[in-house]
Amino acid sequence: MLTKRLIACFDIIGGNVTKAVQFQDNIYVGAAEELALSMYEKQIDELIFYDVTASAEKRPIDIETVKRVAACVFIPFTVGGGIKTLSDMYEALKAGAEKISVDSMAVRNPDIITQGSKAFGAQCVVLSTQVKRTPSMPSGYEVYIDGARVATGLDGIEWIRRGQELGAGEICLNSIDCDGTCAGYDLELMKKAEAAVSVPLIASGGAGQPEHLRDLFKTTQAQAAIISSMLYSPRLERNFSVEELKEYLTAQGVAVRPMRAE
């Protein structure tokens, strides 16, 4: 049985981790490399790093911060933001990333998904997509880019289906409506996604309580979940440790990766 993965997602601004609600009002959490080391020591399964203003500011990813974070962790590490070319992908991999996430640039130039998949393998390319409930869309969801600031007119489910066809080996699907709210994942979104694609799905946006993870993994085929707010959001009255989340999920019959022996 495949085990479910718990992922910390760093929204990076100026070398620091921030937390936002629906992509607005980012507040400071801590220096990226310090929080990365803490998450690694607390045995998070994976880490995703998004330079959240790179695309909107039309600049490359903050490669120096990527290097500092990569030096602190020995778990799967995905980076995204400001990735425009194969050269950018190569530089991020050389800096210590294991997987590359493409988002806004993939919408502008879908061929970058195919190029990356052919050059580095499909398992290395993650299509990250921000979607918002939009009744006029066939699926009810619309793709947004540039840090969820710009509507694209693309249907969310049709876009991830196309992303898989282009060569993405994994899809991270973030609900803008649920992002940072700690009110639970958009399970309807994830069910529509799993019916459309066969590659692994990462659910993002909305985790606030252990029950939200149980509901996600029990009712959808999501293979992984981003749980950033639960781990370190200053907005929550109580944060959770990776260990207690895994103990809870195990008790609920959800297979998770075991904690490493100290």
Side-chain angles (χ1 to χ4, degrees), residues 37-50:
L37 179 59
S38 174
M39 289 294 100
Y40 173 69
E41 291 175 342
K42 292 175 181 177
Q43 301 197 37
I44 195 71
D45 294 324
E46 295 188 20
L47 180 63
I48 295 179
F49 171 119
Y50 291 135

Side-chain angles (χ1 to χ4, degrees), residues 51-107:
D51 187 336
V52 293
T53 59
S55 292
E57 295 173 357
K58 296 180 171 55
R59 61 169 173 78
I61 194 169
D62 181 355
I63 203 72
E64 293 305 317
T65 302
V66 172
K67 290 178 181 178
R68 292 197 301 272
V69 170
C72 297
V73 300
F74 302 93
I75 51 177
F77 177 37
T78 302
V79 304
I83 303 291
K84 297 179 180 179
T85 65
L86 271 182
S87 178
D88 291 338
M89 290 183 174
Y90 175 73
E91 289 301 318
L93 294 169
K94 190 169 67 171
E98 292 189 2
K99 294 185 278 188
I100 302 298
S101 172
V102 288
D103 185 340
S104 300
M105 184 50 59
V107 171

Side-chain angles (χ1 to χ4, degrees), residues 131-135 140-142 144 175 177 186-189:
V131 300
K132 189 173 184 178
R133 285 183 179 269
T134 308
Y141 296 90
E142 182 176 7
Y144 278 64
S175 166
D177 304 285
D186 188 333
L187 301 181
E188 179 184 355
L189 170 64

